[in-house]
Amino acid sequence: MKIGTQNQPFFPEDIKEKFRYLKNAGFEGFEIDGKLLVDHLDEVKEAIAETGLPVTTACGGYNGWIGDFIEERRLNGLEDIKEILTALQQAGGKGIVVPAAWGMFTYRLPPMVSPRSQAGDWKAVSESLVYLDSIAKETETTIFLEPLNRYQDHMINTLADARRYIEENTLRNVKIIADFYHMNIEEDNLSQALHQNRDLIGHIHVADNHRYQPGSGSIDFRKLFDQLKSDGYDGYLVFECRIRGNDPEAEYLKALKHLQQCLV
């Protein structure tokens, strides 16, 4: 397994300097914003060639969720994702992280009545995934379907939820991304959930139980990494977290060392 990261405010803004910084810090991959990749593809490819640091995946950078309530926005999002997947193919990236939606609706807060039926949710997300499955096949990439916790999305909350979409729609180029923060809220047993879905897990996001940097909370990363190892996972572990502490850069690099030690 290798450790990657999303962007942070204290990383250099210049793309090539950013890649050099990440390489020197000890990260082994970069999960890039999709729009940044599309808009600066040539510069990103040059940075990859210079540093040897790969773009692992894209996350974000498109307008419209795959389960959007507004059909025009859903379709616009799909076309944005198609463009990102094409750029990822050129940059050597594995694929793109997509949830059903983020912050669009939750049953846990008022009004608690969705403007669309559960059958409608299933239809919208399934149609999006079937389309993206075909685009991923063409671009030799993967769609990483991300379950979010119940307060951020109402459609896909557990790894089992994501698995159902993949299996019932016979998707060949869609895998599950397991996010430890969301799993900590939704799964009864994190290790068991990882094991039960080992055949479909293709990507990992790491944060501690409170969404801050790994090692600052209560998640037992060594236990989860050992589970992933025993199940044969050899992909990336990508930081997706906020940072708590007076010196964000120092705390972030400390968290990197913590995860490196947990992998030993």
Side-chain angles (χ1 to χ4, degrees):
M1 290 183 282
K2 297 180 180 180
I3 301 176
T5 182
Q6 294 182 350
N7 198 37
Q8 287 290 345
F10 54 83
F11 293 170
E13 284 297 317
D14 179 82
I15 290 175
K16 290 184 179 179
E17 290 181 9
K18 190 190 302 288
F19 273 69
R20 295 185 196 112
Y21 174 90
L22 296 177
K23 179 78 170 182
N24 291 333
F27 288 102
E28 298 167 282
F30 181 45
E31 184 166 277
I32 195 167
D33 175 83
K35 182 171 174 52
L36 178 66
L37 175 63
V38 169
D39 291 347
H40 300 276
L41 179 58
D42 288 340
E43 193 173 356
V44 169
K45 288 165 66 177
E46 290 172 4
I48 293 170
E50 177 188 315
T51 62
L53 184 79
V55 163
T56 61
T57 33
C59 187
Y62 52 90
N63 295 303
W65 304 113
I66 65 170
D68 216 300
F69 289 146
I70 299 174
E71 181 67 0
E72 181 181 5
R73 199 161 58 194
R74 183 182 74 86
L75 295 176
N76 288 340
L78 295 180
E79 290 309 300
D80 287 346
I81 294 171
K82 178 181 178 180
E83 189 175 17
I84 294 168
L85 290 175
T86 300
L88 279 167
Q89 183 183 34
Q90 296 182 54
K94 296 194 311 172
I96 187 168
V97 174
V98 290
W102 179 86
M104 189 174 73
F105 175 76
T106 171
Y107 286 117
R108 312 312 302 174
L109 295 171
M112 296 182 181
V113 178
S114 175
R116 184 172 64 198
S117 68
Q118 291 183 354
D121 289 341
W122 176 268
K123 181 176 183 292
V125 174
S126 293
E127 287 181 359
S128 294
L129 289 173
V130 168
Y131 171 76
L132 291 177
D133 188 60
S134 67
I135 302 302
K137 180 179 180 181
E138 292 175 10
T139 55
E140 300 178 309
T141 56
T142 301
I143 304 300
F144 296 108
L145 184 59
E146 182 174 26
L148 304 184
N149 72 74
R150 73 196 77 166
Y151 305 104
Q152 296 180 4
D153 176 49
H154 69 291
M155 291 176 276
I156 303 178
N157 303 132
T158 65
L159 303 192
D161 292 339
R163 183 181 197 94
R164 179 174 171 236
Y165 274 95
I166 293 170
E167 291 184 339
E168 295 193 18
N169 288 294
T170 319
L171 304 173
R172 304 301 184 193
N173 303 283
V174 179
K175 299 291 184 182
I176 299 171
I177 168 173
D179 183 303
F180 288 178
Y181 165 71
H182 296 300
M183 290 180 68
N184 185 67
I185 296 173
E186 296 295 338
E187 304 289 352
D188 294 338
N189 184 301
L190 275 67
S191 293
Q192 186 177 56
L194 291 172
H195 180 66
Q196 290 174 340
N197 295 282
R198 61 194 179 280
D199 57 323
L200 287 179
I201 292 175
H203 196 53
I204 303 286
H205 274 171
V206 291
D208 224 309
N209 63 290
H210 42 29
R211 184 49 106 188
Y212 290 100
Q213 70 271 19
S216 64
S218 61
I219 289 181
D220 186 342
F221 287 94
R222 186 180 297 277
K223 177 181 178 180
L224 298 180
F225 292 169
D226 286 347
Q227 182 66 63
L228 290 170
K229 288 178 186 176
S230 69
D231 289 332
Y233 178 78
D234 61 356
Y236 279 91
L237 310 162
V238 173
F239 275 62
E240 186 187 47
C241 64
R242 300 172 182 171
I243 307 171
R244 176 176 284 172
N246 294 327
D247 187 339
E249 182 176 15
E251 293 295 338
Y252 206 65
L253 297 179
K254 178 182 175 182
L256 172 60
K257 289 184 173 57
H258 175 71
L259 290 194
Q260 289 170 334
Q261 292 169 356
C262 290
L263 280 172
V264 176

